[in-house]
Amino acid sequence: MGRHSRTGPKPAGPDIEAALANEGGGRESVPPGPGSGRRRRAADTPAGADGHTPFQQTGHVRGGHPEQREPGGGWGTGPQQTVPRRQPLVGTRPLIPEPRREFVEAFDASPAPPAPRGPAVPSARPADPYSSVGEWPEQPSRGGAAAPAPTGKGRDGKGTRGRTFTGVAAAAVTTVLAVVVAGQVAHDSGGTSAAQPTGVDRDGTDGASRSDGRPVPKAAQAKPLSYAEKMAKAYPLSPELHGSGKFEAVPGAAKAPGRGHRYRYRIDVEKGLGLDAALFARAVQETLNDDRSWAHAGAMTFERISSGDPDFVITLASPGTTGDWCRKSGLDTTEDNVSCDSAATERVMINAYRWAQGSSTFGPDELFAYRQMLINHEVGHRLGHDHVSCRTPGALAPVMQQQTKSLDIDGIKCRPNAWVHPGS
């Protein structure tokens, strides 16, 4: 709804008393009749004996346009049932509510002349009947002289000027806050445009910045394991694994280092085991040519090749594949998951499960020695040596004893041993 005004003749005499009576009785009144459309000023009505100007039934409510009556109901419904003005009604509400007295008094008075423009800030904030802010104390202008007081009486012109001053004051406060914040940001950032949290010092004196020249720690690099460490380390492999049965030779060669009869061998590793083939090849070469092994005192020497015609093939295979090849020579390795020399073939089979996990007879702390024993024992069969059992309790077991199965044979318990000539 827009703003509308009322028009009608000025009540006089008894009409005033009737209107005032209705005003005090729940603000009930009769609708005004047609009038001239002009606003009636307070100066048009003489003051009473006590200096008070009676309320005037004016025809406007702060600005707007004259009320236009149109058919259709609501505002401007056309002719309405009216009650003669000289017959006040008791208990009958008017068809159109009248404005509140304080609103009419606030806006019907003559507006004060505008204050002179200039850079000076008004000395006092006028009271605004619609403002939620309290009165501000008077302040002198920057020129030293007090700003001219608003002319007029009562609440003249305070609606418009109050809002204007409120806007000016808000703009001034916003400007001051913007300057303070900008200065704080400029100080904290050291002249850069990046905003930083207030109260955090980033001048580099607290040592909390990565850009203050501190060395950045390098990522720790794992030290590669030595040969001995790799040989002492267990590797995961299932005792029930049955591999592809396909082999590939470990590339490269290793010359025979010693004297005596030279044996040439090749190393095959079953595909898909996931074990270190180069480590296995090195272990075979160093173990067989150790003076504590079959090469003792220059009796023989061993050379590894990857092509050509070897004397035998040392093969690292899964438990299932090892069983297949040992079965070709009439040997059953599945019961204890052991290795064998498949004499009917060219292959000396090393069970990959035992190579990876060892045995309980040596334990986890002697995995290196167990792997050396495993090589010496199975190659010993290829060289023509049979199984031998320990005869002295507490002595080192012979290298050709089945040490993977047990160190206690016929009630004689011996100690684990990896070498053909352990005392050398």
Side-chain angles (χ1 to χ4, degrees):
M1 300 292 288
R3 296 178 179 174
H4 299 273
S5 62
R6 297 178 184 273
T7 60
K10 168 186 176 183
D15 293 341
I16 296 177
E17 297 178 358
L20 293 176
N22 291 333
E23 181 71 21
R27 299 197 61 81
E28 297 176 351
S29 64
V30 295
S36 61
R38 293 175 58 89
R39 175 181 298 184
R40 188 172 299 277
R41 302 290 184 179
D44 296 338
T45 304
D50 57 355
H52 175 71
T53 302
F55 169 71
Q56 302 300 318
Q57 185 69 22
T58 58
H60 287 74
V61 180
R62 54 169 177 171
H65 301 281
E67 177 181 341
Q68 303 296 328
R69 298 186 178 274
E70 300 175 357
W75 288 94
T77 57
Q80 301 289 335
Q81 180 181 0
T82 59
V83 180
R85 182 172 299 278
R86 296 185 183 277
Q87 299 179 7
L89 299 178
V90 179
T92 302
R93 301 188 65 83
L95 298 180
I96 301 175
E98 294 182 356
R100 296 174 61 181
R101 179 190 299 273
E102 56 269 25
F103 289 172
V104 175
E105 289 180 354
F107 294 98
D108 277 353
S110 300
R117 295 186 178 181
V121 179
S123 60
R125 171 183 169 84
D128 187 352
Y130 304 103
S131 174
S132 60
V133 183
E135 294 292 340
W136 289 12
E138 293 186 359
Q139 298 179 359
S141 64
R142 285 186 287 181
T151 59
K153 300 179 180 180
R155 303 176 180 268
D156 298 342
K158 292 184 179 180
T160 303
R161 293 188 59 204
R163 288 183 175 83
T164 302
F165 187 79
T166 301
V168 172
V173 172
T174 303
T175 302
V176 171
L177 289 176
V179 172
V180 172
V181 172
Q184 181 66 39
V185 170
H187 171 73
D188 290 344
S189 61
T192 61
S193 59
Q196 298 178 358
T198 304
V200 179
D201 188 3
R202 295 297 185 187
D203 57 2
T205 58
D206 59 351
S209 174
R210 285 289 181 186
S211 61
D212 58 1
R214 293 188 300 166
V216 179
K218 296 182 179 180
Q221 296 180 354
K223 181 181 179 181
L225 297 178
S226 65
Y227 166 72
E229 290 172 335
K230 290 179 180 179
M231 287 291 287
K233 184 179 184 300
Y235 302 97
L237 197 138
S238 171
E240 299 177 356
L241 177 64
H242 197 304
S244 64
K246 298 179 179 180
F247 308 103
E248 61 182 358
V250 177
K255 296 293 184 178
R259 305 184 306 274
H261 180 78
R262 185 179 63 178
Y263 288 92
R264 301 175 69 189
Y265 70 93
R266 188 182 78 225
I267 291 181
D268 285 358
V269 176
E270 186 176 11
K271 295 180 179 180
L273 287 181
L275 297 177
D276 190 342
L279 175 66
F280 179 70
R282 179 179 177 180
V284 171
Q285 178 70 6
E286 292 191 11
T287 299
L288 293 177
N289 286 289
D290 193 290
D291 189 58
R292 294 169 293 179
S293 184
W294 301 109
H296 175 67
M300 60 190 71
T301 186
F302 298 87
E303 179 180 350
R304 181 172 72 85
I305 63 174
S306 58
S307 60
D309 188 15
D311 295 316
F312 51 89
V313 179
I314 301 177
T315 306
L316 182 65
S318 64
T321 301
T322 298
D324 293 341
W325 280 87
C326 292
R327 196 175 297 113
K328 294 179 180 182
S329 298
L331 302 172
D332 183 10
T333 60
T334 59
E335 182 178 354
D336 295 308
N337 224 352
V338 293
S339 304
C340 82
D341 168 40
S342 181
T345 70
E346 62 179 355
R347 298 189 181 276
V348 177
M349 303 301 297
I350 304 297
N351 192 318
Y353 170 72
R354 291 300 181 185
W355 174 263
Q357 294 289 312
S359 70
S360 59
T361 53
F362 279 71
D365 295 337
E366 296 294 332
L367 189 54
F368 192 168
Y370 174 80
R371 288 168 175 165
Q372 291 171 322
M373 183 277 299
L374 196 59
I375 294 170
N376 280 326
H377 181 92
E378 299 305 336
V379 171
H381 282 305
R382 176 62 57 159
L383 296 176
H385 298 281
D386 294 330
H387 287 145
V388 178
S389 297
C390 178
R391 296 298 179 189
T392 305
L396 292 174
V399 73
M400 295 307 297
Q401 181 173 324
Q402 292 179 302
Q403 297 181 62
T404 296
K405 294 182 177 181
S406 175
L407 289 172
D408 190 348
I409 300 176
D410 298 332
I412 300 175
K413 186 175 183 180
C414 296
R415 294 179 291 139
N417 170 47
W419 300 106
V420 180
H421 305 279
S424 301

